[in-house]
């Protein structure tokens, strides 16, 4: 047995490039900052400008409305953040959101718990179906959740007689408080949303489930080989997404005092946009809930500003969001290439 | 004698059409470093996957400390104390170093929440023993591949492993990192942890391994102390060739070279690609078939791919018919007159749902078209010529390629490249996976092409094919040429000798 072996000449003649030039490192740093905090930075800049330019913007009333309006989308986008970090996508949330609202209104005839639990049960179940399809049958999340999008929207139309019946919530004041209650001048939904985001952040960063989520999205085959419960994690994340969308629907119903059937069309795309603008990688494996929160706020602030201008078509909001989304995706692309 | 910590008893595994493992048995004793070797298709990867719970064996048993175990998933194998580090680092690049070490078993504090500070401290502590001193909060992807491999190793060992399987752990390490790895292996050895070490680098095996198990074609060929086998015997076993009376043949001097006078078509000079090629030079003359021999991972395919521009080079030059070809670009190589038949024809070659005609004319389309329109008549003519010349058996040129046998698919690919009128062809395993009759035909075709003045670079794991087919053989090991055999020197004994020996190693 030879003990005097030197490493083969192979290695010695191989040039060893340094760990990347300083310039590249600098570029990566800027890109990383833009990626993670881009939404927050742009949000603050836009806020500052709007505050100065539009007298109507900085008023307490306007800011309250802004915060309240952002809450409903933010809760949906929170679930979407988790799904996207896991490497998936959930297109069903817009329909599930609307369905949640109708079910809450429908269930309010059985009191507070009926109004709250009926949407959560059904929407959680839809999420479970999504999760099982994605995790157990290896169906593409895009397809699986597109199917449940149609399913949820169909169910909604069926129970409302194609939208002809609108269920009102008038006999349960406690449930209405969820959407209409006010504390220190700020609506309950804002507090609920903040609480959910804190919980979401803890879930992501401080629990094994959260870590498994990042690992699954970051490299699924590695996660499997490391012995992580990949399938269970995926199922859980779609259930959470369904629950959050359904809850947001219930909260909206409480706010509007009825189950409105026409909401939620295309909301899944708004949620995805907010998540991506918030710095979560669309390819999975990286992201933050706080980024998503700023993504949602940014979208609504731009909408609000366009309303302030008044003369501008409201559709310009989409134009601005779309442009910003493009920038973010390009930055993400550059960043992930820098990593390779 | 120590009780085996892990015993594999008559394990078999079958995949559609292949018997990947055929009643393989071997034992792993505590504290030993056990080499697992074999060529392509020997069954090493399948065996590893059976041991790690990725595949379930069709037959046979696994005994862990003498007790039968069944692994349905990787986590079950890990719980039984069997950890694996794979050739490709199987960690999550976007997550931090510490997170990667502790994924799935993070230290938890009050409320069951992960304690980040403790996790970071523990990770830093652990990794210091593996020569990784970077900030553990950095993303894993920011580390070099070698350091990532060390993190993988730290993770694998720290889960209370009794058995650590290492699949080509050094293939992407720098020499310094290899030393660290060997130190760690020495430490594990002293702790009584058994190591199953898979590598093609003989030097490494002889340096650190106590025993060896050789697999070939899914069957166990040999298992026993490594010191009882010299390099030549080991290589012969891996390749399944007889040693005969060829020991210690010198590989110097020049044999008869029938092509010495012919014009040099291809000259590749000093090709260097990090971790893959360490300065390979090859020349091919008109009408010459130059074979590349070497064990798995020696850089044969890489050499061909580098010449063809499919592998980025750190340095080196490729000259075709006197003109320098831009490296790193396959289109430059093709327009210079090269053609390459890739190793995996399913992945890199045929388009199964297109017809024979469409597959053949694909590469020649630019030449056949005018104003962006492709003349069907010209296509048909070309296809007819090649179908006849290469004796491709088809019912009609419109038949789907996926319906053809492997041999005929290979001929279709060959025809596609011949359409481009190459002066040099690079053939990587042209007869793999095709039946015996078709093999002979493809070999005959290669000879015919060479006879017409084409230069051929031939790669094959089939020693016979190389020795009978090639006029000249270059032997590769660890990304460098270690033997250059011409004419009469092209014999099995000389090839084996070149594969097994290396400079300054006269004692073996």
């Amino acid at each position: 047995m030879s003990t005097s072996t030197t490493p083969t000449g192979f290695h010695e003649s191989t040039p060893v490039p340094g760990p990347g030039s300083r310039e590249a490192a600098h570029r990566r740093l800027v890109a990383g900052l833009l990626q993670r905090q881009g939404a927050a930075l742009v949000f603050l800049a836009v806020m500052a400008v709007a505050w100065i330019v539009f007298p109507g913007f900085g008023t307490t009333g306007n800011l309250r409305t802004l915060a309240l309006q952002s809450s409903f989308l933010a809760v949906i986008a929170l679930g979407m953040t988790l799904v996207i970090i896991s490497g998936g996508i959930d297109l069903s949330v817009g329909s599930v959101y609307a369905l949640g609202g109708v079910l809450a209104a429908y269930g309010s005839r059985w009191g507070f718990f009926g109004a709250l639990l009926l949407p959560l049960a059904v929407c959680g179940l839809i999420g479970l179906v999504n999760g099982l399809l994605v995790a157990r049958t290896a169906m593409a999340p895009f397809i699986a959740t597109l199917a449940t999008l149609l399913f949820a929207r169909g169910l909604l139309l069926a129970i409302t007689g194609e939208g002809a019946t609108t269920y009102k919530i008038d006999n349960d004041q406690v449930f209405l408080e969820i959407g209409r209650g006010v504390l220190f001048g700020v609506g309950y939904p804002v507090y609920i949303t903040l609480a959910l985001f804190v919980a979401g952040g803890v879930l992501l960063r401080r629990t094994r489930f959260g870590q498994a989520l990042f690992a699954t999205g970051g490299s699924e085959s590695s996660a499997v080989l490391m012995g992580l419960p990949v399938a269970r994690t995926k199922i859980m994340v779609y259930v959470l997404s369904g629950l959050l969308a359904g809850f947001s629907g219930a909260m909206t119903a409480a706010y509007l005092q009825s189950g409105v059937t026409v909401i939620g069309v295309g909301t899944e795309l708004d949620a995805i946009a907010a998540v991506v603008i918030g710095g979560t990688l669309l390819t999975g494996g990286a992201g933050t809930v706080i980024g998503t929160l700023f993504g949602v706020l940014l979208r609504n602030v731009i909408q609000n500003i366009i309303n302030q201008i008044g003369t501008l078509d409201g559709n310009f909001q989409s134009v601005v969001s779309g442009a910003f989304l493009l920038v973010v995706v390009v930055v993400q692309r550059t960043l992930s290439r820098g990593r390779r | 004698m120590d009780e085996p910590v892990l015993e594999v008893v008559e394990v078999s595994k079958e995949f559609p059409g292949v018997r990947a493992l055929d009643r393989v048995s071997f034992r792993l004793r505590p504290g030993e470093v056990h080499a697992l070797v074999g060529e392509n298709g020997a069954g090493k990867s399948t065996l590893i996957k059976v041991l790690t719970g990725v595949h379930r064996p069709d037959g046979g048993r696994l005994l862990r400390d003498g007790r039968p175990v069944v692994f349905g998933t990787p986590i079950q194998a890990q719980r039984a104390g069997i950890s694996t580090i794979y050739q490709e680092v199987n960690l999550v690049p976007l997550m931090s170093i510490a997170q990667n070490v502790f994924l799935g078993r993070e230290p938890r504090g009050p409320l069951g929440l992960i304690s980040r500070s403790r996790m970071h401290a523990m990770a830093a502590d652990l990794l210091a023993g593996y020569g990784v001193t970077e900030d553990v909060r950095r993303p894993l992807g920011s580390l070099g591949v070698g350091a990532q491999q060390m993190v993988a190793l730290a993770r694998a060992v720290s889960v209370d492993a009794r058995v650590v399987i290492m699949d080509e752990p050094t293939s992407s390490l720098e020499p310094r990192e290899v030393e660290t790895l060997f130190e760690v292996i020495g430490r594990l050895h002293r702790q009584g942890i058994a190591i199953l070490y898979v590598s093609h680098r003989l030097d490494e095996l002889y340096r650190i391994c106590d025993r060896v198990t050789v697999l070939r074609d899914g069957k166990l060929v040999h298992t026993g102390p490594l010191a009882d086998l010299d390099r030549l015997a080991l290589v012969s076993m891996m390749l399944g060739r007889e040693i005969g009376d060829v020991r210690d043949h010198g590989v110097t001097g020049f044999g008869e070279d029938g092509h010495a006078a012919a014009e040099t078509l291809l000259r590749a000079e000093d090709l260097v690609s990090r971790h893959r090629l360490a300065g390979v030079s090859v020349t091919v003359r008109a009408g010459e078939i130059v074979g590349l021999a070497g064990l798995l991972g020696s850089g044969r395919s890489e050499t061909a791919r580098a010449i063809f521009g499919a592998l980025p080079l750190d340095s080196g030059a490729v000259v075709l018919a006197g003109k320098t070809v831009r490296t790193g670009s396959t289109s430059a190589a093709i327009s210079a007159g090269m053609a390459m038949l890739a190793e995996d024809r399913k992945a890199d070659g045929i388009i199964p749902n297109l017809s024979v005609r469409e597959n053949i004319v694909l590469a020649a389309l630019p030449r056949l078209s005018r104003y962006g329109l492709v003349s069907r008549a010209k296509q048909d003519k070309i296809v007819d010529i090649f179908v006849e010349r290469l004796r491709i058996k088809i019912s009609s040129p419109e038949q789907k390629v996926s319906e053809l046998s492997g041999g005929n698919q290979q001929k279709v690919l060959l025809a596609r490249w011949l359409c481009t009128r190459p002066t040099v062809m690079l053939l990587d395993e042209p007869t793999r996976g095709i039946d015996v009759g078709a093999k002979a035909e493809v070999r005959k075709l290669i000879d015919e092409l060479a006879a017409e003045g084409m230069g051929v670079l031939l790669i094959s794991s089939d020693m016979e094919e190389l020795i009978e087919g090639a006029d000249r053989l270059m032997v590769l090991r660890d990304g460098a040429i270690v033997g250059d055999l011409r004419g009469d020197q092209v014999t099995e004994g000389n090839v084996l000798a070149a594969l097994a020996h290396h400079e300054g190693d006269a004692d073996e």
Side-chain angles (χ1 to χ4, degrees), chain B residues 197-379:
Chain B
Y197 191 87
V198 182
S199 176
H200 301 109
R201 297 190 178 163
L202 299 184
D203 296 343
E204 290 177 0
L205 299 184
Y206 278 99
R207 183 165 162 200
I208 61 165
C209 295
D210 310 313
R211 295 201 308 143
V212 62
T213 290
V214 184
L215 296 182
R216 194 177 64 236
D217 299 332
K219 293 191 183 70
L220 178 77
V221 179
H222 176 85
T223 183
L226 185 58
D228 294 356
L229 279 181
D230 63 21
R231 286 163 182 257
L232 196 55
L234 182 60
V235 170
S236 308
M237 269 183 195
M238 288 163 66
L239 296 177
R241 319 302 300 185
E242 295 298 320
I243 306 173
D245 53 353
V246 295
R247 282 174 180 280
D248 297 326
H249 248 244
V251 201
T252 46
F254 294 92
E256 164 256 353
D257 187 347
H259 299 275
E263 169 205 8
T264 300
L265 284 181
L266 172 73
R267 204 168 72 236
E269 283 165 358
D270 217 16
L271 304 177
V272 175
S273 177
R274 201 155 108 94
H275 293 310
R276 295 193 183 96
L277 300 176
V280 174
S281 299
V282 176
T283 57
V284 180
R285 294 170 192 278
E288 190 180 35
I289 301 176
V290 176
L292 290 183
L295 297 174
L296 196 65
S298 60
R300 294 172 308 190
S301 297
E302 287 79 0
T303 301
R305 288 177 52 219
I307 293 173
F308 194 60
L311 178 77
L313 284 176
D314 297 322
S315 69
V318 176
V319 180
L320 195 76
K323 287 201 196 94
T324 305
V325 182
R326 188 158 58 89
T327 58
S329 155
T330 52
S331 58
I334 292 170
S335 58
M338 274 190 247
M340 174 157 169
L341 215 54
E343 188 177 4
D344 185 347
R345 63 173 172 271
K346 287 221 172 58
D348 298 336
I350 64 160
I351 300 167
N353 285 325
L354 292 188
S355 70
V356 171
R357 174 181 56 82
E358 287 163 322
N359 265 286
I360 289 180
V361 299
L362 212 52
L365 284 181
R367 213 159 47 75
L368 295 177
S369 56
R370 183 179 291 170
Y371 312 122
L373 297 175
V374 186
S375 153
R376 180 61 186 266
K378 280 188 194 163
Q379 282 188 37

Side-chain angles (χ1 to χ4, degrees), chain A residues 35-46:
Chain A
Q35 157 97 31
R36 281 190 301 275
Q37 313 299 345
L41 294 175
V42 176
F43 170 72
L44 291 177
V46 170

Side-chain angles (χ1 to χ4, degrees), chain A residues 49-68:
Chain A
V49 171
W51 209 295
I52 296 163
V53 177
F54 305 107
F57 182 82
T59 61
T60 329
N62 189 43
L63 293 180
R64 273 181 198 153
T65 315
L66 193 63
L68 187 69

